Amino acid sequence: MRRETDPLLQIATRGDHTCAVRQGGSVLCWGKNTYGQLGDGTRADNARAVRVLGVGDAIAVAAGLDFSCALRRGGTVMCWGNDADGQLGGGRGGTPKAVGLRPAAVTGLSNVVQLVAGDYHACARLRDGAVRCWGNAENGQLASDSQRVYTAPRDIADAAGARWISSGANHVCVVDASGKVLCWGRNTEGQLGDGNSGSRTRAVEVAGLTDAVDVASGANHSCARRRTGGVVCWGDNSAGQLSTGARSDRKRDTPVAVAGLTQVQQLAGGADATCARLANGRVSCWGGNGHGQLGLPSNIATRNTPGVVRNLADAIDVALGSRHVCAVRRIGDAV
């Protein structure tokens, strides 16, 4: 099979659009474009990948519900799309109908090493372990209840020293240097993992988890990869996305082990599903399959235990949207 001359390196998807980064630094997006989240200067939906304007040195991309952001080689961030909740981070949004059809710099960010996005907010992890977030704050996901939106990044004091970060629809989790996972934001489905209910504006520790390597968040659930190689999940389980094996187990507010997974290299969460990329390039997924997003016939509504996605044996990155899953293959294309 022909290898791409400028291969894809990383892919991100949420809602109904997807973006990917090429090795050369350009960003491609496709799908829904109501708010300009494809970054091509228009609002026209596109089933084919279009190049994001003005970004040629990206190393990673994050997708919100209807906006997108790119991390540049120099450690700065640019965002585009819907800005009604200040999710573009430029200090000018936060009003109805605010949009950015072309990428613009996020205010006051430098030395960024990781970038994530929720439905209407985004967060960056800096080289020194600091975490800064911007956008919608209504569910505590910006660790504040003093205002509805933040149009520029704010420090998350409880997350200092973070080694990894993830974002769900309205909650955020980090892994600290000791292997603990701390989460804050919305907690209606137990997605903060501390055994309690109620949204939080301060980070709380996920119960009984002290050896996490990284964490991935779906809309209302999260999963962590442990040093031992195991995986645990917590939060919403309405479609089996925690892999408890029990259809009646609608949510868990503390971590539960996922059985049958070994050699996991990456975790990814979607609206109601979870996937793990394995060391051999296979991808194993579980949870909601109402739109065939797990690679199963769509008449199979859910899968409660991990199952290998067919016809995919060489994945190097995987991402989940609301109703679909995408992967970058070793040869540099996407499926």
Side-chain angles (χ1 to χ4, degrees):
M1 186 174 293
R2 181 180 65 85
R3 185 172 294 274
E4 292 286 334
T5 57
D6 189 7
L8 298 178
L9 294 180
Q10 183 252 337
I11 197 164
T13 183
R14 187 179 289 269
D16 297 315
H17 80 290
T18 303
C19 295
V21 179
R22 287 196 180 278
Q23 187 177 70
S26 62
V27 176
L28 304 175
C29 296
W30 60 95
K32 195 170 183 177
N33 196 32
T34 306
Y35 298 94
Q37 58 262 49
L38 302 189
D40 65 344
T42 78
R43 294 193 182 195
D45 297 350
N46 208 314
R48 299 179 65 87
V50 295
R51 184 164 178 164
V52 175
L53 299 174
V55 181
D57 60 351
I59 58 173
V61 66
L65 193 63
D66 44 26
F67 72 103
S68 310
C69 297
L71 171 58
R72 305 175 71 184
R73 289 194 184 102
T76 59
V77 174
M78 302 182 77
C79 297
W80 57 96
N82 191 3
D83 200 22
D85 289 283
Q87 57 265 60
L88 303 191
R92 297 177 297 276
T95 60
K97 300 183 179 180
V99 297
L101 300 184
R102 299 174 64 104
V106 175
T107 300
L109 270 187
S110 60
N111 298 315
V112 177
V113 295
Q114 188 187 0
L115 180 66
V116 298
D119 278 4
Y120 304 107
H121 72 279
C123 296
R125 178 173 62 91
L126 310 188
R127 186 172 292 116
D128 63 1
V131 173
R132 306 193 75 194
C133 300
W134 60 97
N136 187 283
E138 288 183 302
N139 292 279
Q141 64 267 52
L142 268 60
S144 173
D145 58 4
S146 63
Q147 58 192 68
R148 190 184 72 84
V149 301
Y150 287 84
T151 61
R154 71 181 308 270
D155 291 319
I156 310 298
D158 291 347
R163 297 292 182 88
W164 195 263
I165 185 171
S166 70
S167 181
N170 299 290
H171 75 287
V172 181
C173 295
V174 301
V175 180
D176 72 10
S178 70
K180 293 179 181 179
V181 177
L182 307 172
C183 301
W184 62 93
R186 187 169 179 172
N187 196 34
T188 53
E189 307 301 321
Q191 55 264 58
L192 302 190
D194 70 334
N196 294 300
S197 60
S199 299
R200 311 294 178 77
T201 59
R202 297 291 302 270
V204 295
E205 289 185 15
V206 174
L209 186 55
T210 59
D211 63 345
V213 176
D214 53 40
V215 61
S217 298
N220 297 306
H221 75 285
S222 293
C223 298
R225 187 165 60 102
R226 308 181 72 173
R227 292 193 190 105
T228 58
V231 173
V232 294
C233 299
W234 60 94
D236 183 21
N237 192 44
S238 57
Q241 56 266 57
L242 305 189
S243 187
T244 65
R247 293 288 297 275
S248 60
D249 204 358
R250 305 292 291 180
K251 63 181 181 180
R252 286 288 188 96
D253 56 16
T254 57
V256 57
V258 177
L261 281 179
T262 60
Q263 297 185 315
V264 175
Q265 300 293 300
Q266 177 194 3
L267 292 170
D272 61 358
T274 311
C275 291
R277 178 174 58 84
L278 310 180
N280 61 7
R282 297 283 185 181
V283 174
S284 186
C285 298
W286 59 97
N289 186 64
H291 299 272
Q293 60 264 49
L294 304 189
L296 300 171
S298 58
N299 64 329
I300 302 175
T302 61
R303 180 168 194 149
N304 296 311
T305 57
V308 173
V309 176
R310 295 173 294 178
N311 302 319
L312 179 60
D314 59 349
I316 62 171
D317 192 38
V318 63
L320 283 73
S322 294
R323 294 169 290 187
H324 66 290
V325 178
C326 293
V328 176
R329 301 172 64 199
R330 194 170 295 118
I331 62 171
D333 64 359
V335 293

